[in-house]
Amino acid sequence: MSLKPRKDAKYAVVAPSSMGVRICPLNGAPVQSSEMFFLQATSAETNVLSVSSYLGLRAKVLTAFVKDSPIAALIKNNLRSRNIEFEGPEVPQGGPWGYRHQFNIGDSGFGARGPRVHNDRAGEVGRTLCAKDFDLERLFGAEGVGILHVSGLIAALSPETGAFCADLADAAKKHGALVSFDLNYRKSFWDGREKELSGMFSRIASNADILAGNEEDFQLALGIEGPESGGKGLAGKTDSFKGMIGNVKKAYPNASVFATTLREVIDANRHLWGALMLEGGDWHSAEPREIGVLDRIGGGDSFVGGLLYGILKGWEPEKWLQFGWACGALAVTMMTDYAQPADEEQIWSVWQGNARVRR
């Protein structure tokens, strides 16, 4: 294995994030037709951390809270229940029209009706995150971090968060931490900011050891020229992704792992789910299989979380991908948008296709 996380690190994995709440109707109903909702604390980056935190590794989120907010208290209690430590400033609300935590409102879809998601992020406190709020020398130097995980969602949230993520990546590399970057391109975040964000994403990616994303992510977030289409379906996506990685490796030679999920939607509750990874010069794949889907949100995050867990445990690369695939397949069986594995055995059972009752 070429990737070696720092052995003496206090924290196995750390991620910056803007925390919020997700509101979903019960029983897969549409939002506009519902009166009862399930509310949970959420963020893409803590979805990634949850795999390691539930399986006993020390994880930490760097975030910001609205001071004296009951939603902030709910988020903190949720993070504690997931064994995720947290650090960050308490920002005064500034009155009823001031700061708040983001709201993500969406349904799970059902059958032929696909899910719909509405983001309500006005006044989001996480957009204020910056390096001066944290002691990076203490965190990455004295305490130590195995892997820093950065998502393109937090990096693109505001000019401040972009600079924060880039500063974190610089500090991580300085002190021997691995850097994971899941590009997570979102057009609505990039509109009118293409020049600013392409430079920021390139800076973060230059420090990355692990790059995750799909074809659109690499082309639109990093400006990588894609190959001609490999054809229709998942086989075509596999061929196209393999062709593109050659261009990515030339542009970002410090990275040694490139990974993506492969998904084909049969209907809202049945997907073909696969994954592909290049580690060094070796390709590894999880051939697409049909999986049952209760709620699809968070499957990709949990794939990355499982991949990072395998790296942290020192497994062979083939197992990184298998464990990541199974973590993603596990996450979509839960209403929370993060996997809550009972133990490693449960995840390996998902990989093996063993859904028999355990007594």
Side-chain angles (χ1 to χ4, degrees):
M1 185 187 73
S2 59
L3 289 184
K4 296 182 179 179
R6 182 173 160 180
K7 292 294 185 182
D8 64 343
K10 179 177 181 180
Y11 298 104
V13 58
V14 167
S17 186
S18 177
M19 298 297 304
V21 292
R22 181 176 180 227
I23 306 174
C24 298
L26 300 179
N27 303 317
V31 171
Q32 73 274 10
S33 305
S34 301
E35 295 180 346
M36 297 186 67
F37 291 80
F38 167 67
L39 182 146
Q40 65 168 98
T42 188
S43 79
E45 299 78 23
T46 52
N47 292 348
V48 174
L49 297 183
S50 285
V51 173
S52 288
S53 69
Y54 273 96
L55 294 177
L57 299 185
R58 201 162 181 181
K60 188 172 197 176
V61 61
L62 309 178
T63 190
F65 299 100
V66 176
K67 187 177 181 181
D68 299 324
S69 162
I71 297 297
L74 179 149
I75 291 168
K76 291 176 183 178
N77 288 336
N78 173 265
L79 291 172
R80 292 185 187 103
S81 74
R82 292 156 66 184
N83 305 311
I84 297 175
E85 300 178 46
F86 52 84
E87 178 181 344
E90 300 274 343
V91 181
Q93 181 186 17
W97 294 274
Y99 289 119
R100 64 179 172 91
H101 291 276
Q102 57 146 314
F103 277 71
N104 179 283
I105 306 165
D107 64 72
S108 303
F110 190 86
R113 175 173 52 81
R116 290 192 173 189
V117 177
H118 177 77
N119 284 300
D120 184 357
R121 308 188 76 139
E124 185 172 348
V125 69
R127 299 183 76 232
T128 68
L129 282 164
C130 60
K132 68 179 178 60
D133 294 325
F134 302 88
D135 185 345
L136 301 188
E137 284 297 313
R138 169 185 55 79
L139 177 63
F140 290 102
E143 295 177 341
V145 173
I147 298 177
L148 169 72
H149 175 70
V150 177
S151 164
L153 297 176
I154 183 69
L157 200 57
S158 70
E160 290 78 10
T161 61
F164 177 48
C165 290
D167 289 342
L168 287 173
D170 288 344
K173 296 306 290 184
K174 175 183 174 182
H175 292 288
L178 298 178
V179 176
S180 162
F181 188 21
D182 187 354
L183 297 171
N184 271 329
Y185 173 86
R186 294 292 185 274
K187 184 179 185 299
S188 59
F189 286 23
W190 279 67
D191 281 346
R193 302 174 61 205
E194 288 82 2
K195 184 176 180 180
E196 167 207 344
L197 289 177
S198 62
M200 193 63 69
F201 273 54
S202 180
R203 179 182 163 191
I204 299 168
S206 295
N207 276 319
D209 301 280
I210 304 144
L211 283 171
N214 57 31
E215 277 188 275
E216 181 181 69
D217 291 332
F218 285 109
Q219 291 183 70
L220 299 179
L222 296 182
I224 301 297
E225 183 178 348
E228 295 183 5
S229 175
K232 296 181 179 180
L234 292 181
K237 289 182 181 180
T238 298
D239 292 340
S240 294
F241 185 82
K242 284 185 174 181
M244 174 175 289
I245 292 308
N247 296 332
V248 180
K249 288 185 71 173
K250 291 176 184 177
Y252 298 96
N254 289 332
S256 58
V257 174
F258 306 86
T260 189
T261 57
L262 303 168
R263 185 197 303 261
E264 184 174 314
V265 177
I266 302 170
D267 61 34
N269 307 109
R270 294 181 301 148
H271 294 180
L272 295 178
W273 179 246
L276 186 67
M277 180 185 76
L278 176 65
E279 185 277 327
D282 298 322
W283 286 102
H284 304 276
S285 64
E287 293 301 316
R289 286 187 254 162
E290 185 173 325
I291 59 170
V293 178
L294 181 63
D295 184 294
R296 68 168 285 167
I297 304 301
D301 297 327
S302 294
F303 164 76
V304 175
L307 184 77
L308 299 186
Y309 181 82
I311 293 171
L312 288 163
K313 295 289 285 187
W315 296 341
E316 291 301 311
E318 182 180 28
K319 289 190 173 183
W320 307 347
L321 185 78
Q322 294 171 352
F323 202 76
W325 181 95
C327 284
L330 175 68
V332 300
T333 68
M334 299 179 172
M335 278 302 296
T336 53
D337 54 4
Y338 51 87
Q340 302 178 59
D343 46 39
E344 288 181 10
E345 180 188 355
Q346 184 180 56
I347 296 174
W348 285 121
S349 291
V350 173
W351 169 253
Q352 294 157 3
N354 175 17
R356 294 189 295 273
V357 64
R358 174 182 164 181
R359 301 185 187 279

